[in-house]
Amino acid sequence: MEASPACPPFDACSPNLAASLRQLSLYSGSLNQEQILQFHRALRPTPQDLAPFRRFDDARYCRNRIYRDEHCELLLLCWRDGQRSQIHNHKGSLCGVRVIEGVATETVFETTLSGQLAARETRELAAGSLVINGHLDIHQVANLQADGGDLVTLHLYSPPLARMELFGMEPQQRRVQLLDDCLEFQI
């Protein structure tokens, strides 16, 4: 997968997006759930705002960086129909996910007393939907739309995603993934 370049300078972004990114840059620590919600609610991205970050790959979904500093990271994820993440958490990072285009299917899992994973809930998230995942919430995101239906999601991680657990349906399939850069992997 081709990694997105480092964050573009604010003046390389649309004025609307640049203003939102400047607000992110003012935080002096990791964002809490309310701050992530406020950011997503205040941001009103147009297709033109996100066009420079809208990159797809037919083999797997793409993670395209919009912004990153020591406190947070903003990514635009682009999914072709049938693409999905592995089952994972965001160990140490909160994540606000906003559906920009299409319908995301999120399956939330829980660990049973025997150490097995069990699907607790599956929900469809239409364009405009916003969910916050805690750092230990276990989930999988997928684009299960009909042929040709693209999915675009906007993810704000705080702090930037640096560690996660990947899960399989059996307890021995659980592993911790340490990340140098979240653009260099697929979850």
Side-chain angles (χ1 to χ4, degrees):
M1 179 181 102
E2 180 180 320
S4 297
C7 304
F10 293 144
D11 58 357
C13 296
S14 68
N16 178 44
L17 185 56
S20 294
L21 298 179
R22 280 189 190 90
Q23 288 300 313
L24 277 181
S25 73
L26 297 177
Y27 285 102
S28 60
S30 293
L31 284 67
N32 62 36
Q33 184 172 338
E34 185 57 35
Q35 291 166 320
I36 290 173
L37 282 169
Q38 287 174 357
F39 170 81
H40 275 290
R41 288 179 178 152
L43 179 64
R44 302 271 187 246
T46 67
Q48 295 77 19
D49 293 334
L50 300 176
F53 310 100
R54 189 182 161 97
R55 289 184 286 281
F56 290 87
D57 183 318
D58 289 335
R60 56 188 178 196
Y61 71 93
C62 286
R63 302 170 62 81
N64 305 295
R65 180 176 290 138
I66 296 173
Y67 176 81
R68 181 182 170 124
D69 66 20
E70 65 273 14
H71 306 297
C72 63
E73 180 171 35
L74 185 65
L75 302 174
L76 190 70
L77 276 61
C78 297
W79 318 70
R80 296 286 190 209
D81 61 286
Q83 295 177 340
R84 68 178 66 215
S85 70
Q86 292 184 48
I87 301 168
H88 66 282
N89 66 20
H90 305 127
K91 190 136 180 132
S93 297
L94 289 176
C95 179
V97 179
R98 181 172 169 188
V99 179
I100 301 296
E101 175 187 324
V103 177
T105 301
E106 179 187 39
T107 303
V108 178
F109 294 86
E110 62 187 3
T111 305
T112 65
L113 294 176
S114 66
Q116 305 287 325
L117 277 187
R120 185 180 72 214
E121 174 185 15
T122 297
R123 57 188 174 193
E124 289 189 341
L125 304 168
S129 297
L130 174 61
V131 296
I132 303 289
N133 297 113
H135 76 107
L136 293 178
D137 293 343
I138 302 169
H139 73 152
Q140 180 179 55
V141 179
N143 179 1
L144 302 180
Q145 299 176 99
D147 290 343
D150 290 333
L151 171 64
V152 178
T153 54
L154 187 66
H155 299 240
L156 178 59
Y157 296 97
S158 187
L161 191 59
R163 188 170 175 228
M164 64 173 27
E165 290 177 290
L166 303 176
F167 298 84
M169 295 308 287
E170 301 299 326
Q172 67 271 22
Q173 294 173 315
R174 180 176 174 175
R175 63 190 190 278
V176 173
Q177 179 84 28
L178 299 174
L179 312 169
D180 291 328
D181 188 331
C182 72
L183 294 176
E184 301 301 320
F185 69 95
Q186 291 296 306
I187 50 176

